[in-house]
Amino acid sequence: MIAVNEKTRARCQSFRLRVLEAIHDQLDISNGWMRRHVAECPRCRRLLRGVRRLDVAMLMVKSQPHRMNLLARANRGAIAVLNFKLRNLPQADTLRVAQPRPTLLQRFRRYSQALTHAAACLAFLLLLRMGIFNSMRDFHDQSARAVDNYYNRVFDETDHA
């Protein structure tokens, strides 16, 4: 019975190492023996379920916009778990009020869509205006040629008559 437990532990250890390796390399855990082991081992199944929850949570955190004080709030939560001596260090005070310093591009990212739409509208209006003036110029040139042709034909006929 002891050999079975040690054999199972060795398999669990191997499974955990491979899971971590797969997560690290972002590979799909679709190996046959891994799936069989997860189906049989409740401990590894819980571990994998926790890893999947963590992965989903990290994806949700990445996809949601955050307020600027998120860093300070996270630091305050981390400092709260430290012992009393560490909580009162000057570095801890600095971390409590730390704020990220976004670049200029990051600060104006929320306006990027509106600016893009405004630039597209402006470009459209300019192209439309250029097109209308070109069309008017072409219309003027063609009508002038038509009038010239008409007068040339009418006066050429009267000269011959």
Side-chain angles (χ1 to χ4, degrees):
M1 197 69 157
I2 295 173
V4 173
N5 282 340
E6 291 198 19
K7 186 178 177 184
T8 304
R9 283 187 188 155
R11 277 189 161 174
C12 287
Q13 181 67 26
S14 174
F15 172 77
R16 279 188 234 113
L17 289 174
R18 290 199 183 190
V19 166
L20 292 174
E21 204 174 281
I23 290 170
H24 180 69
D25 297 337
Q26 295 185 355
L27 296 175
D28 185 23
I29 305 173
S30 59
N31 196 338
W33 80 267
M34 291 175 115
R35 273 190 277 164
R36 283 192 302 275
H37 179 76
V38 169
E40 296 170 5
C41 179
R43 213 169 104 188
C44 291
R45 195 171 30 245
R46 278 193 309 271
L47 172 74
L48 190 60
R49 204 174 305 133
V51 167
R52 285 186 181 154
R53 280 190 204 130
L54 178 64
D55 191 34
V56 168
M58 292 304 287
L59 285 174
M60 289 176 68
V61 166
K62 285 181 188 176
S63 66
Q64 294 177 357
H66 300 289
R67 291 183 292 180
M68 293 300 282
N69 68 345
L70 177 66
L71 179 64
R73 286 186 1 230
N75 287 343
R76 280 193 297 270
I79 290 169
V81 239
L82 297 174
N83 67 22
F84 184 75
K85 184 179 176 182
L86 292 174
R87 278 186 242 161
N88 292 326
L89 290 175
Q91 292 90 341
D93 291 333
T94 305
L95 286 175
R96 277 188 191 96
V97 294
Q99 295 286 334
R101 293 184 184 96
T103 63
L104 186 65
L105 181 66
Q106 289 172 335
R107 278 187 266 156
F108 289 108
R109 184 171 287 154
R110 73 177 82 157
Y111 305 115
S112 66
Q113 188 175 12
L115 289 173
T116 305
H117 286 288
C121 288
L122 184 63
F124 178 74
L125 288 174
L126 288 173
L127 291 173
L128 185 66
R129 183 176 175 128
M130 287 172 42
I132 288 174
F133 284 135
N134 266 347
S135 296
M136 288 176 63
R137 191 176 312 119
D138 290 344
F139 178 75
H140 180 266
D141 293 343
Q142 287 177 3
S143 60
R145 270 186 265 137
V147 169
D148 287 342
N149 287 340
Y150 174 75
Y151 283 125
N152 287 337
R153 197 179 39 197
V154 168
F155 288 122
D156 282 345
E157 288 177 3
T158 55
D159 288 338
H160 292 297

